[in-house]
Each structure stands twice: as structure tokens, then as C-alpha cells.
Amino acid sequence: MPEIYLSLLDRILTPVLLMLAVIFLLAGHNAPGGGFIAGLVVATAFLMQILARGDQFVRRLIGTYLQPAMGVGLLIALFSALTGIGNYGVFFQGIWWKISLGDFVLEFGSPTTFDIGVFLVVSAFVTSYLLELSRPAERAAK
Amino acid sequence: MSINANWLAAPVIIPLLFAASSLLVATRVNLRQMRVQRNLALIASVLNLGVALLLLHSTVIQDQRMVLHAGLWQAPFGITLVADALSAIMLTLTAVLMVTIVLYAIGTLDQREGLNFHPLLLFLLMGVNGAFLAGDLFNLYVFFEVLLMASFVLLSLGGRPAQVNGGMRYVVLNLLASTVFLTTAGVVYGTLGTLNLAHLAVRMEVAPLTLRIIVAGMLLIAYGSKAGLFPLFFWLPASYHTPHPAVTAIFGGLLTKVGIYALFRIFTLLFPDLLLEWQPLLLGIAALTMLAGVFGAMAVNTIRRVLSFHIISQVGYMVMGLGLASTGNELAIGFGLAAGIFYIMHHMIVKTALLMAGGAAELTMGTGQLKEGYLGGLVKRFPLLAAIFFLAAFSLAGLPPSSGFVSKLGLLQAALDSQQWMIAAVSLLVSALTLMSMVRLWQKGFAGKQHKAALPTPRRPIYGFTIAPIMILVVISLGMGIFSDTFIQWSQVAAGQLIDRAGYIQAVAPTDLIAPVGMEH
């Protein structure tokens, strides 16, 4: 059941939520945040879409990608944990790469990719859960 | 040869890797995708068996422990995975059961029922393996939850009303037990300031008696409920007969044994003195569990219900081993524990074989009813299936030369040696009643005449893939009985490592930097 005021709000809120999610995802190692929270924020953005444009729209848009996204996320997280084993290390050991771009140095490591995997799993799982929940609600509304 | 500690992560990684990969292919229901999932599960379970055997070799045969501090975070701060002989034995048994259940599923699962069965099975395997390897209370809890969630979905796969009904009882009662477990973990962390098992073993020694009793009691309730001990077993007979036979078979072989494993681990490591003080309690629970299970089995009337109740009575024998862990006169201390571990080995194999055979009969005939006029005549119609069922039932009842005989004999020896006449008498009585119950299954289900009028036409033929895994398990069971000295030796190594607490603490080597609240020293 698309609502006009919600679709107006959605144009403002969705970009904000998505940017917040990126910040949370990258800040997670030293500050509050992380893949789990970023995933929940993205799922909230999809919830906005479900409320504003109806679950059919969202399902058509991303429905088929949700389950593969969970699989890909699990695999990314798993392989990030496995990178620790290289170089006679230990499972889950953090590996960091420093990329210097002129003045500032970008630190990128296996904990970041692990978080990206978690982010994919959580956002895909919660979104598919919300989509399933909205199915009976949609039916009741009609 | 000692292997790299990173191998300890493999029993968790392998199922997760293959389960995640099969999520990638499972977007639509069709035969080809199910076949891909099935092949992935088969590869995963075979790889898992290989790793389990590797761990078995380096812990049991070489009599040592392996510890992995994930991410190089020393205990008690990081995630610690520990494998000792008991963990490795449990991992190996689980791996064997997984391979056979994937084969059995090829023979019995049809296309619609099969959707997502295999990924869920792999998630279940990951949870069970993780629980056997967990080196701290919280990770034990997490892996318990993983296996609970996977098993709940497996139970209700298919979505018939009876399944949803049984599944609800299963999940509610198990979540209650999990809540008790989590609360206990909170109490432990709040008072002792650590959750690492080795660290807890050090700090539990100086903890106040009240705290020890509360923690031990609550963990006994939580794990006892997962293991199906008296009086907390109600979820088991309410749910185990409802799902597909392949699911029942793997649940019957695995799930309650995870609870038993946790009891063995926690009591020997954290509360060795309570093992002696609470001996009457433990033996009492064991006796009541055995009796309740075996009497329950006599009162119900379908093959899988009877077998489900027998799981409960058999779990009683394992707790009997735990109760006899720290006593002994002629026999060494720990012989009871070793007999209990041997019993677990025997039970996991035989129970799964029986549930597979019973399930195959039920699938073929379209009914599992034991009342007059339903089953019967299976001996003539499917002689091979009947013969296998007979051998497995023979072993469960404890007749020589099967593994059941040796394991029951070991427990009886331990009981007589520590002069626990009550439990010895009960275990003999329950043995006799189990034999009676197996005879009843045989007479009503397999022997006798075929009831043509009441019988629906056989639903589906029995394939080689249905029979082969049951045969493998029965052969393993017979082998465990005939070459029992090897397996008894293994369980004695496992029991010895369980009793050697100092060795466990030394292997994990927790740093003692942070003093617990109120216990600064």
C-alpha cells in the first residue's frame, strides 16, 4: 500500500541511511559500528522502500539476489578469516594492508572484509525476513 | 607427527563453506539445483570425516590435546577451540553419521522434501562440531543455538500440521533450556569474571560453595534438558516422530549426545568434587531416565515413537557412566567414565541405524503403526531390510557379540565395583525390558503375516542407497563389539584426559590478568 508522504520522506531518508551504513561499516574497528549494525541500517532503508512503494516493488527489484547475497557474504567472511592462516599465521588473525595515496594512508585489512561479509549476510537476511512479514500484511490490507 | 592447530577450525569451516555455496545455487525449486546441493553436502561430509579422523589420530592415538587461539588472542580473551580425545571421538562419530545420512537421504528423500535439506544439514553439522570444540561457555552456547535453529527448520521442513506442532514444542522447550544456560553464563561472568573453561576451572576451585552449587545445578538443568534427562525429556517424544525419517535418524543419533557431551565436559573439568558429592543425584537421575524411557517405549505404538523413547532410556546409561566417574575399588578411577564414553560411541551408531531402518519400513509401507492389521510381513517382502533391523535391534538390546553387550557390561562392571547395587539392578532390568521392546517391534512390525486388506500399497521401493548406509552402521557396530579392546582403549584415553584437569588447564594456558569482581588478589 504505497503512501505519498512516505515516498516523499523516503527520498530524503534513504540516502541518509545508506551513507550512515557506509560510515558505520568502515568505522566499526575503532569506533562504535561494524558490519552487523550497518546491515541493520541498510535493512531499515529497504523497510522504508517496502512501506513507501509496496513489497511487490522491492521484491521485483532485489528479491532474487537476497539468498545469493547471504551465501556470498558468508563466503567473504569465511575467506577473510582464512587469510589469517597464510604466512604461518593463525585462523582469524588480522592481516592489514596499507595503501598510501599521496598524503593519506588507507588502512585496509581482513577484519574489514570480514565485516563486509557480515554486512551482506545481515542486510540480506533481515530484508528477506521483512519481505516475508509484509506479505500477509499486504494481503490483510487488501 | 603433530598437525597444525589451524586444523581445529576445519570442522566448523567445511560445513559453513559448503552450506554458503549451496545457498548460491538454491534460488528456485528444481531437480538440478537439489542435485547440486546434494553433491556439495556429500563432498562436505566426506571432507569433514577426513579432518575428524586426522584429529582423532593426533589426539586419541598420540594422547594429547590441541588448542587453537583464534586470531592469536590468548585465552581467556579470544575464542579458544580445544580438541581432546573426547572431542575428537565425538567429531568422528558425527562425521560418520553425516556421511551415512547424506547417502540415506539419496534413497529416501523426494524432490519437494529435499529443498534446502542439505544446506540445513550442513549448518547442523557446523553447530554440533563447534559445540564439541568450544573452549568457553559462551561459544558453547552460540553453537548450541546454531544447531537448535538448524534443527528447528529441519523438523518443520515440509510443513505438515503435526510437524509444526511437534516443532513448536521442541523449539519452546529447547529455548527455555538455552535461556537457563545463558543466564548461568551471565552469573558465571558476573561473579568469576571469565567464561573460558580452563580459566573457570582455575577460578572455580576458590569460588564460594553456594556459587559452585548454583552454577552446577543450573548447568545440569540446561544440559539435562538438551540431553533428554528425567524429568526434562518431554520435548523429545513430542517431536522426533514427526519429520522425515532421515531427519529423525540424524537427530536421534546426534542431538541429545551434544547435551551429554557438555555434561561430561563441564562436570569433569569444573566440578570434579561434585561428581562424588552428587553421585546419588546423578545415579538417581540416570535410573529414572532409563525407566521412564523404557516404560514410555512400551506404551506407544509406532516404530519411530518406540525408538524415540529408547533414546531417552539409553541416555540414562550415559549419565550412569558420569555418575560412576570418580569412584572405583578394583577398577581404576575413571573406568565408569570410559564405559560411559564407549556407550556413547555404541549408541550413536546403533540408534541411527535403527531409526534409518525403522524409517525405511515406515516410508515403504506408508505407516509405522504397530497395532494389529497395519505393519507385518516385512521379513518376506524385504528380507535384507529386516535382517539389518534385526542386527541393529540385537545390538541395542545388548546381546553378545554386539557393541551393546560390551558397553553395557562395562557400565555394569563399574557399578558393581563401586557397590552401587541400585543402579546395577536398574540397568539390568532396563536391559531386559529393552530386549522385550525390541522383540515386540520385531513381532508386530517385521514378522508375521502381511495384512493385505488394511495395507496401502507400498509407497516406494527400497533403493540400494537406503540399505547401504544402514549396513555400514551395523557393520561398524558389530566391529565395535568384536574388536572392542581398541575402542575401549580409546575411551580410556578420553576418560584419562577428562580426569587430568591440570593437563587441560596447562594446554589452554589462560593468562590471569584481570581479577574477578570481589575476588581481587
Side-chain angles (χ1 to χ4, degrees):
Chain A
M1 192 65 59
E3 301 277 356
I4 291 173
Y5 67 92
L6 269 176
S7 56
L8 282 175
L9 196 60
D10 147 63
R11 272 159 207 255
I12 306 164
L13 267 184
T14 303
V16 174
L17 283 171
L18 291 180
M19 279 190 285
L20 254 183
V22 174
I23 294 170
F24 281 147
L25 177 62
L26 296 179
H29 314 294
N30 304 317
F36 196 94
I37 294 170
L40 288 181
V41 173
V42 165
T44 319
F46 280 119
L47 181 62
M48 286 294 301
Q49 299 292 323
I50 294 174
L51 290 175
R53 297 161 195 235
D55 64 323
Q56 288 297 334
F57 172 77
V58 177
R59 197 168 283 129
R60 259 203 313 277
L61 201 63
I62 55 164
T64 49
Y65 301 115
L66 288 175
Q67 204 173 356
M70 286 182 230
V72 169
L74 280 176
L75 289 178
I76 291 178
L78 195 58
F79 281 109
S80 324
L82 282 173
T83 49
I85 295 183
N87 271 336
Y88 303 102
V90 168
F91 183 60
F92 255 119
Q93 194 172 345
I95 308 281
W96 290 93
W97 301 281
K98 288 191 179 168
I99 307 159
S100 48
L101 301 165
D103 285 346
F104 88 163
V105 179
L106 189 67
E107 282 198 7
F108 193 74
S110 62
T112 319
T113 51
F114 182 81
D115 251 3
I116 291 174
V118 172
F119 162 78
L120 275 176
V121 175
V122 173
S123 55
F125 174 75
V126 178
T127 307
S128 71
Y129 174 72
L130 290 170
L131 277 175
E132 283 308 307
L133 273 187
S134 62
R135 207 193 288 265
E138 192 76 3
R139 218 177 295 138
K142 280 172 190 164
Chain B
M1 177 200 75
S2 79
I3 56 171
N4 192 313
N6 279 321
W7 281 104
L8 282 187
V12 181
I13 294 174
I14 293 170
L16 182 60
L17 181 69
F18 283 87
S21 314
S22 41
L23 279 182
L24 294 181
V25 300
T27 43
R28 261 167 282 114
V29 191
N30 69 44
L31 195 59
R32 198 173 55 85
Q33 283 171 334
M34 198 198 127
R35 220 173 268 152
V36 175
Q37 285 191 342
R38 189 182 72 198
N39 294 342
L40 285 173
L42 195 59
I43 298 169
S45 55
V46 170
L47 284 179
N48 180 50
L49 178 62
V51 172
L53 287 174
L54 195 65
L55 293 180
L56 187 77
H57 180 262
S58 56
T59 55
V60 178
I61 311 288
Q62 301 180 337
D63 196 359
Q64 57 184 14
R65 296 181 179 82
M66 294 176 65
V67 180
L68 170 67
H69 300 287
L72 280 186
W73 289 91
Q74 285 305 309
F77 303 110
I79 297 172
T80 314
L81 297 181
V82 188
D84 61 359
L86 178 62
S87 310
I89 288 174
M90 300 300 282
L91 284 175
T92 311
L93 289 168
T94 307
V96 170
L97 294 190
M98 272 296 157
V99 174
T100 53
I101 211 75
V102 173
L103 292 176
Y104 182 73
I106 295 176
T108 56
L109 214 61
D110 78 15
Q111 189 186 342
R112 200 159 30 82
E113 296 163 324
L115 181 74
N116 285 342
F117 170 83
H118 293 99
L120 283 166
L121 200 63
L122 291 178
F123 280 121
L124 183 77
L125 176 65
M126 172 188 149
V128 173
N129 281 350
F132 291 149
L133 288 170
D136 63 278
L137 268 189
F138 190 72
N139 279 302
L140 190 57
Y141 168 77
V142 169
F143 283 117
F144 260 116
E145 287 304 287
V146 171
L147 81 89
L148 175 64
M149 284 307 137
S151 60
F152 175 55
V153 185
L154 275 174
L155 257 184
S156 43
L157 212 64
R160 286 184 295 106
Q163 281 182 303
V164 178
N165 184 7
M168 277 313 286
R169 296 192 217 181
Y170 173 84
V171 84
V172 168
L173 290 172
N174 270 294
L175 275 181
L176 264 178
S178 293
T179 312
V180 175
F181 186 3
L182 192 60
T183 314
T184 320
V187 170
V188 168
Y189 193 66
T191 48
L192 297 178
T194 184
L195 286 171
N196 185 283
L197 288 179
H199 205 197
L200 272 179
V202 176
R203 290 196 170 171
M204 211 44 111
E205 279 170 7
V206 290
L209 184 66
T210 8
L211 180 70
R212 294 156 56 80
I213 289 177
I214 288 172
V215 171
M218 284 175 75
L219 287 179
L220 182 61
I221 291 173
Y223 298 148
S225 162
K226 305 249 177 213
L229 296 188
F230 184 86
L232 301 166
F233 58 80
F234 296 106
W235 57 271
L236 197 155
S239 57
Y240 268 28
H241 62 284
T242 57
H244 188 276
V247 177
T248 311
I250 197 69
F251 281 16
L254 278 186
L255 296 192
T256 48
K257 266 53 76 181
V258 185
I260 287 290
Y261 164 82
L263 280 178
F264 271 54
R265 171 74 64 210
I266 295 292
F267 268 89
T268 52
L269 187 60
L270 303 185
F271 311 106
D273 52 327
L274 288 186
L275 222 43
L276 201 59
E277 272 172 48
W278 286 11
Q279 195 183 36
L281 175 71
L282 287 172
L283 290 180
I285 291 176
L288 287 171
T289 310
M290 287 180 203
L291 289 170
V294 86
F295 284 132
M298 301 196 136
V300 290
N301 261 330
T302 66
I303 293 186
R304 279 198 284 164
R305 283 193 164 191
V306 171
L307 292 175
S308 304
F309 268 107
H310 277 297
I311 298 175
I312 298 169
S313 80
Q314 309 277 306
V315 158
Y317 281 95
M318 300 167 200
V319 177
M320 172 179 167
L322 184 64
L324 297 170
S326 49
T327 48
N329 294 319
E330 299 277 308
L331 299 165
I333 288 176
F335 185 82
L337 204 58
I341 294 169
F342 188 80
Y343 201 91
I344 297 178
M345 294 161 74
H346 143 74
H347 170 87
M348 284 174 80
I349 300 285
V350 165
K351 181 52 86 181
T352 309
L354 265 179
L355 281 168
M356 280 179 179
E362 213 170 289
L363 274 180
T364 315
M365 307 299 278
T367 175
Q369 274 291 341
L370 291 172
K371 279 185 227 144
E372 266 317 298
Y374 286 91
L375 279 173
L378 277 172
V379 178
K380 275 181 207 140
R381 200 187 266 185
F382 303 110
L384 193 57
L385 180 68
I388 292 173
F389 184 88
F390 182 80
L391 284 175
F394 201 70
S395 185
L396 190 82
L399 299 173
S402 62
S403 58
F405 173 71
V406 184
S407 55
K408 279 182 176 152
L409 185 67
L411 281 172
L412 191 64
Q413 263 183 308
L416 293 177
D417 181 57
S418 6
Q419 298 173 338
Q420 297 289 345
W421 313 120
M422 180 276 294
I423 195 77
V426 171
S427 76
L428 279 176
L429 174 71
V430 172
S431 255
L433 291 176
T434 307
L435 182 60
M436 266 176 67
S437 172
M438 289 298 123
V439 168
R440 183 173 80 116
L441 271 187
W442 178 257
Q443 281 183 336
K444 295 276 169 70
F446 287 82
K449 263 188 234 152
Q450 202 175 308
H451 303 279
K452 276 192 184 124
L455 198 73
T457 48
R459 289 251 174 107
R460 54 184 112 179
I462 292 184
Y463 300 104
F465 274 121
T466 318
I467 296 288
I470 315 177
M471 257 170 154
I472 296 173
L473 291 178
V474 168
V475 167
I476 293 176
S477 161
L478 284 178
M480 275 169 65
I482 294 166
F483 305 103
S484 55
D485 34 345
T486 315
F487 294 92
I488 287 178
Q489 204 188 336
W490 288 4
S491 18
Q492 266 168 343
V493 170
Q497 289 190 2
L498 281 182
I499 287 172
D500 176 24
R501 299 170 59 238
Y504 186 96
I505 296 168
Q506 203 186 357
V508 177
T511 50
D512 205 20
L513 292 176
I514 303 170
V517 187
M519 290 180 68
E520 286 88 358
H521 47 262

